[in-house]
Amino acid sequence: MNRFIAISVFLLISCLLNAQALKKNMPTHSKIGQTTKKKLSDSTLYKQIQKLITESKYEEAIKICNVLHARNVKDSNVILVRSSLKARLGKDDEAIADIKKFILNKDTAANIISYLPILAEFNKNEKSGELYYKAAIAYSPKLGLPYFFYGGELSDKGEHAKALEYANIGFPLLSKFERQNFISSYAKLFYAANFKNDAYKILDSVIKINTNDVEVNTTYLFFLREDQRYEEAISMADRLFAKDSVEDYLFARFRIYKKMDNSIMMCKDAALLEHYFKGYDGLALQSKCVDKKAEIFPTSTTSYVYLVETPKSVYNFTITNPKVAMDSGISFNWKMGIPVNKEGKVIISKEAVNSAYAQLNNFGAKDVYTTDRTSVWISNAVYNQIKMDGKTFIKSGNDEGKTFLVDKNVENLSVESIIDMDYETNFRVGWVNLIHIKSEDGIEEYWINDDPKNPIIVKMILAPFSITLKEIKTK
């Protein structure tokens, strides 16, 4: 789907419902699909087609479409689906020819042809729909949608002048219903081409007549937000939400506050969205709201539960009674679950916490006092070097050690940064800020809590094992 073309499902349904009768010389019955004792229903076959599409088995899906078409040659839906499948396979000429052959009315056929790139999800493969749009234009030159859709694709490619040329041809040719549905997209094309005053005027013309057009109003808010006209944007969003408490206005205001980097107000709106509307679960977590932050700093009652995975076994590694002071030392008790069944205590000296580049990652069934290695936590020296230089040196085992580089492409909220809290007693999830580093050879990786007072390792991959913090217990 083009970024600037908000495709209306209602338009597509309307297109299908208003499709003209198919050519009259087509047969009305066939025995294909009736060789078995019990014939599958049409709805069952359509479900099979959908399953095959999700599995990218387009040729097999086409075969089922052929069965459905043989049963009822007047079913325009199956023609549409089959053509979209051919489009997915790159059989563009066949897809277009099918529509022209079976859809009698030229306008209806051209409409459907212009929809095929969307139905075939060309955007996922960055495939152009130009061939389809131009074929539709040539087949029905006075139809607006093909021009308009092509303008949307050109805008996505950054060809704004050419995009407006096609959109300006197509928009006046749209039906009244289509113009109402695509007015916001039309304004966005002008906005993208940096004709911002024109974009605002297009929306203003609608708002004067209908102040309740949600899509127009949210597009207006989008323009104000992008232009950093925050005061106007918030005022408008407040007014709209007070008048009509729909989620669109609340979500628009949430995004304005996010753009403003106003985390307090953004998180208030995130909480409202989660509480009153469906589909926003986890929004406050994704937004890294303060009340969703994981309680990762150690206390006397904190336990860290790690999952250890080796080629031979999987077991829990639990840290209890952690005492962490990055200026004086670290200590903790540890226990390995079944099948290892070991436990002990580690005490890390002030010197090691301050300057060690080596780590203790193999535990025996005894207590350990170390003056030259850290464990579970990294040292001040390693943390500071990562923050200052974007790289560090770590000796993670018995080898000579490796240079690690900061992964600058790390996701804002990765899987590793979301941790379960008190899973059995008061389950919730929390987020942590992480630093992700990789060894130059790409073999070893660390995910470290980005806090100089508590640089605990959240995840570590060291051949042949990995260890991941899966839960924090606070009681």
Side-chain angles (χ1 to χ4, degrees):
M1 185 183 295
N2 293 323
R3 186 161 51 115
F4 292 114
I5 300 296
I7 300 304
S8 168
V9 174
F10 296 107
L11 276 175
L12 178 56
I13 294 173
S14 176
C15 175
L16 292 176
L17 292 179
N18 291 305
Q20 300 299 308
L22 302 179
K23 293 189 177 179
K24 295 179 181 178
N25 60 352
M26 292 291 115
T28 58
H29 183 72
S30 172
K31 293 184 178 179
I32 297 176
Q34 297 185 27
T35 55
T36 57
K37 290 182 179 179
K38 186 177 181 181
K39 185 172 71 172
L40 294 175
S41 68
D42 289 2
S43 61
T44 299
L45 291 177
Y46 269 115
K47 287 178 182 177
Q48 287 183 3
I49 289 171
Q50 186 57 50
K51 183 174 183 294
L52 290 169
I53 290 173
T54 59
E55 296 170 353
S56 300
K57 296 178 180 178
Y58 306 133
E59 292 283 8
E60 292 180 42
I62 287 174
K63 291 178 182 177
I64 298 179
C65 285
N66 292 339
V67 173
L68 285 166
H69 176 57
R71 288 184 183 180
N72 182 7
V73 295
K74 293 185 178 181
D75 183 357
S76 57
N77 285 297
V78 75
I79 300 301
L80 181 60
V81 173
R82 187 174 68 183
S83 294
S84 70
L85 289 166
K86 290 182 178 181
R88 288 174 186 267
L89 290 167
K91 299 179 179 180
D92 303 318
D93 292 338
E94 280 189 42
I96 293 169
D98 258 11
I99 299 299
K100 290 180 179 180
K101 180 179 180 181
F102 294 106
I103 304 298
L104 183 62
N105 183 276
K106 278 195 170 185
D107 285 351
T108 302
N111 257 337
I112 292 175
I113 291 168
S114 66
Y115 268 111
L116 287 179
I118 299 159
L119 298 174
E121 298 178 306
F122 279 13
N123 61 308
K124 290 187 177 180
N125 300 312
E126 297 184 358
K127 180 179 175 180
S128 172
E130 179 179 1
L131 176 67
Y132 291 84
Y133 302 134
K134 287 189 172 179
I137 289 168
Y139 201 54
S140 185
K142 294 184 179 181
L143 193 67
L145 280 179
Y147 294 99
F148 198 71
F149 285 176
Y150 188 36
E153 179 175 299
L154 290 168
S155 183
D156 285 347
K157 293 178 179 179
E159 299 178 39
H160 299 301
K162 194 175 179 182
L164 284 180
E165 179 185 335
Y166 275 89
N168 284 332
I169 295 171
F171 193 77
L173 297 174
L174 296 176
S175 67
K176 183 180 178 181
F177 175 72
E178 290 168 339
R179 286 198 300 273
Q180 289 173 345
N181 276 271
F182 290 111
I183 190 72
S184 293
S185 298
Y186 191 42
K188 286 181 181 180
L189 292 171
F190 278 88
Y191 188 89
N194 209 29
F195 290 100
K196 294 184 178 181
N197 288 336
D198 294 296
Y200 281 107
K201 285 178 182 177
I202 291 169
L203 298 184
D204 281 330
S205 67
V206 180
I207 292 172
K208 286 179 181 178
I209 301 170
N210 178 15
T211 59
N212 298 318
D213 191 314
V214 175
E215 187 177 354
V216 167
N217 287 330
T218 52
T219 301
Y220 207 103
L221 290 171
F222 164 75
F223 291 167
L224 292 173
R225 186 186 83 223
E226 291 304 299
D227 289 337
Q228 297 183 20
R229 294 163 61 179
Y230 298 134
E231 217 173 287
E232 294 174 70
I234 292 298
S235 177
M236 181 178 178
D238 287 346
R239 186 174 68 255
L240 289 169
F241 188 62
K243 178 184 176 184
D244 187 6
S245 302
V246 296
E247 62 182 287
D248 305 70
Y249 298 143
L250 183 57
F251 185 63
R253 191 174 68 183
F254 161 84
R255 295 183 70 187
I256 296 165
Y257 282 129
K258 185 175 182 179
K259 180 91 173 183
M260 293 171 65
D261 203 23
N262 187 335
S263 60
I264 294 174
M265 297 305 295
M266 176 189 72
C267 289
K268 283 184 178 180
D269 279 352
L272 288 172
L273 285 161
E274 286 188 347
H275 184 74
Y276 289 106
F277 301 102
K278 293 181 180 180
Y280 294 95
D281 293 343
L283 183 61
L285 178 69
Q286 293 168 15
S287 303
K288 290 191 170 181
C289 293
V290 174
D291 63 333
K292 298 296 181 180
K293 191 170 185 179
E295 299 167 33
I296 196 168
F297 197 86
T299 68
S300 59
T301 58
T302 299
S303 298
Y304 301 102
V305 183
Y306 287 85
L307 181 70
V308 180
E309 297 179 85
T310 75
K312 294 183 179 180
S313 60
V314 176
Y315 56 90
N316 284 344
F317 173 72
T318 304
I319 301 293
T320 57
N321 195 29
K323 297 177 181 178
V324 179
M326 296 304 291
D327 58 350
S328 60
I330 295 173
S331 68
F332 58 86
N333 298 326
W334 59 269
K335 184 176 182 179
M336 297 182 187
I338 300 171
V340 182
N341 292 321
K342 292 180 181 180
E343 58 184 281
K345 182 174 183 176
V346 173
I347 300 174
I348 306 170
S349 71
K350 176 181 177 179
E351 294 76 18
V353 168
N354 190 51
S355 59
Y357 284 88
Q359 284 199 311
L360 170 67
N361 288 318
N362 293 309
F363 294 79
K366 59 180 181 179
D367 297 347
V368 175
Y369 175 76
T370 173
T371 59
D372 60 352
R373 293 176 293 175
T374 60
S375 183
V376 183
W377 282 262
I378 62 171
S379 70
N380 290 320
V382 170
Y383 180 85
N384 291 334
Q385 196 172 51
I386 289 171
K387 298 296 285 187
M388 291 177 64
D389 303 331
K391 64 179 180 179
T392 191
F393 176 84
I394 299 176
K395 185 178 179 181
S396 58
N398 297 320
D399 54 17
E400 296 180 354
K402 298 178 181 181
T403 297
F404 287 78
L405 305 176
V406 173
D407 179 10
K408 295 180 180 179
N409 296 318
V410 66
E411 297 177 46
N412 183 47
L413 195 70
S414 62
V415 173
E416 291 80 12
S417 66
I418 300 175
I419 299 171
D420 290 349
M421 303 288 297
D422 297 321
Y423 186 83
E424 293 181 352
T425 57
N426 183 25
F427 176 65
R428 60 203 188 283
V429 292
W431 61 269
V432 294
N433 278 326
L434 294 180
I435 306 169
H436 182 204
I437 58 174
K438 292 182 180 181
S439 60
E440 287 184 310
D441 61 11
I443 296 175
E444 298 182 357
E445 298 181 67
Y446 286 81
W447 286 260
I448 302 158
N449 182 40
D450 191 2
D451 180 357
K453 295 181 179 179
N454 184 34
I456 188 171
I457 296 168
V458 171
K459 183 175 180 179
M460 180 170 61
I461 297 176
L462 304 174
F465 78 95
S466 69
I467 181 169
T468 304
L469 180 59
K470 70 174 186 176
E471 182 187 3
I472 300 173
K473 296 182 178 179
T474 58
K475 293 181 182 180

